[in-house]
Every structure is written in structure tokens, then in C-alpha cells.
Amino acid sequence: MKKTLLLVILLINVFFASAQSTAEYIEEYADIAQDLAEEHHIPASIILGVAIHESAAGKSKIARYLNNHFGFKGKNSNTEIRSAYRDFPTVDSSYVHFITFLKSRNHFNTLFDKHDQYDFKAWARGIQRGGYARSRTWASQVIALIKKYELYQYDNRPEDYLEPVEPKPVYHAKKKSRRTYTVRKGDNLGSIAKRNKTTVKALMSKNGLKSSALKPGQKLKL
């Protein structure tokens, strides 16, 4: 019983420590995110959300040793860890590079004209479509972080701002094609059923037949 209680207390402490460290991360880097957002017209929530996701709120190895908070690959001169990720002189320079990267790549630079600086959902999905990450759920994960930590509060949205309504996907039911067979001379229900992988009983039921007699030219539902 005591072991179970201690385990529960430990898990609670870990949860709150994680939440606290993320809150501290947001407080530390909210200013640079907002400065970049204002200058380049991109949601600050996206900058913070991607940074939290890619760096585990500053706790990942590449964040701690390489100042890399956005998962950029490349050469590094660090001797403490072996990594395929590039290093940055400061965390702030990593943030600046994120914006430079988006604006210099054809897959992403159209987002600056296409979306406003408040629609974080559209930005997240657009960045994913551009190939920023391999995971198909990357955008959903970033959006979830933005909502969880209410990062949209750093976007300085106008009071009358309304989030764009997301169109619901429309699914069109496929119409079942009705197959028919035209009876030819010499046909019988058994041979027709065999060729069309069905049964005599099914053919008679579908076509309302009371006997197995057929006439050439007669159409049967299969």
C-alpha cells in the first residue's frame, strides 16, 4: 500500500515538474517569439509551439548542448555529444533561423501571404504539408500544445478576431453499380449463377422468379 502511494506521489510530482518547466520555458522565450511574430507576421504561438515540441521545452539533448530548439539537422562543432543536428551560438539564433528557414524555402514561404498571423492551425498544417516533419500527426501535436498552454494568448489577437471555420470533410457514398445479365439461348440459372459467382436461389430471389424457366433476351439482376 505504501509503495503504491509513493508511486502515485512520484507521478504527480513528475507531472507538475514537467508542467512547471514548460511554463518556465514559455516565460523565458515568449518575448523573442512575439518580436519575431510582429516583424514577420507569423503567429507567436506557432513559434513557441514548434520550439516546445522539437526541443521538449528545452530539455532535449540538442537543445541543451547545441542550442537547437527546432530540430534542424546539419554540422556541429560540439565535442560533448555526437549528433546529426546543427548547433547554434545561442538559443535566440535558433529562433531566428526558424523564421529564416521558413521564408527561404518554397514549400513554406507562401504561408506568409496565404495565412494571417493569428491562424495557428492553418500555419501548423501548412508547415507539415511543406515537409517540416515526417510524422503525419506533427501538426496535430503542435496544435494540441498551443491549446494546452494557451500559447495563442501571445498572438495579440484583436478582440473581435474570429477563428476561421474549418470546413467539414464531405464524404460521398459510392453508388453501388447494378449488374445485369441478358439471357442467351441455351442459358439456365445454374450456368449463369456459376459464371457470376452467385447461387440459383439468390438469382431467383433478386429477380422475383417463381420458376427456373428463362427466355432469351430476359434481363436478370446479378
Side-chain angles (χ1 to χ4, degrees), residues 14-26 28-29 51-66 68-69 91 145 149:
V14 168
F15 173 79
F16 281 108
S18 175
Q20 181 63 25
S21 62
T22 302
E24 290 171 353
Y25 180 91
I26 294 167
E28 184 171 358
Y29 296 107
I52 291 169
H53 183 274
E54 297 298 321
S55 73
K59 295 190 292 291
S60 70
K61 275 190 176 182
I62 65 169
R64 290 184 287 113
Y65 288 95
L66 305 176
N68 187 334
H69 285 226
V91 175
L145 285 170
Y149 296 105

Side-chain angles (χ1 to χ4, degrees), residues 4-5 10 26 66 95 99 111 122 129 141 156-157 159 162-164 169 193 211 216:
T4 303
L5 183 59
L10 178 62
I26 294 167
L66 305 176
Y95 271 71
I99 303 299
L111 299 174
R129 282 194 298 270
Q141 292 170 21
N156 295 325
R157 292 176 167 185
E159 290 184 7
L162 296 175
E163 282 194 31
S211 72

Side-chain angles (χ1 to χ4, degrees), residues 52-162:
I52 291 169
H53 183 274
E54 297 298 321
S55 73
K59 295 190 292 291
S60 70
K61 275 190 176 182
I62 65 169
R64 290 184 287 113
Y65 288 95
L66 305 176
N67 291 324
N68 187 334
H69 285 226
F70 292 87
F72 291 114
K73 291 190 174 182
K75 294 181 179 179
N76 70 75
S77 56
N78 191 284
T79 57
E80 295 181 81
I81 62 168
R82 295 181 64 182
S83 175
Y85 293 86
R86 64 164 292 179
D87 58 349
F88 292 91
T90 63
V91 175
D92 284 9
S93 62
S94 174
Y95 271 71
V96 171
H97 183 75
F98 175 64
I99 303 299
T100 304
F101 176 83
L102 294 182
K103 299 193 88 169
S104 63
R105 298 296 194 279
N106 292 333
H107 294 305
F108 307 110
N109 59 21
T110 55
L111 299 174
F112 291 87
D113 296 322
K114 190 174 181 180
H115 304 302
D116 62 41
Q117 64 193 83
Y118 313 114
D119 191 359
F120 62 85
K121 293 178 183 177
W123 274 88
R125 291 171 184 140
I127 292 172
Q128 177 177 310
R129 282 194 298 270
Y132 190 86
R134 291 182 180 180
S135 171
R136 293 182 180 180
T137 61
W138 183 89
S140 298
Q141 292 170 21
V142 171
I143 290 170
L145 285 170
I146 291 172
K147 289 181 176 180
K148 179 178 180 179
Y149 296 105
E150 299 181 354
L151 301 179
Y152 44 78
Q153 66 183 295
Y154 299 102
D155 291 335
N156 295 325
R157 292 176 167 185
E159 290 184 7
D160 58 349
Y161 179 78
L162 296 175

Side-chain angles (χ1 to χ4, degrees), residues 5 8 27 48 50 58-59 69 81 90 100 114 127 133 156 168 181 195 197 199 210 215 217:
L5 183 59
V8 171
E27 185 177 354
L48 285 169
V50 174
K59 295 190 292 291
H69 285 226
I81 62 168
T90 63
T100 304
K114 190 174 181 180
I127 292 172
N156 295 325
K168 293 182 179 179
Y181 177 82
R195 284 199 300 270
K197 297 181 180 179
T199 64
K210 294 182 179 179
K215 295 179 182 179

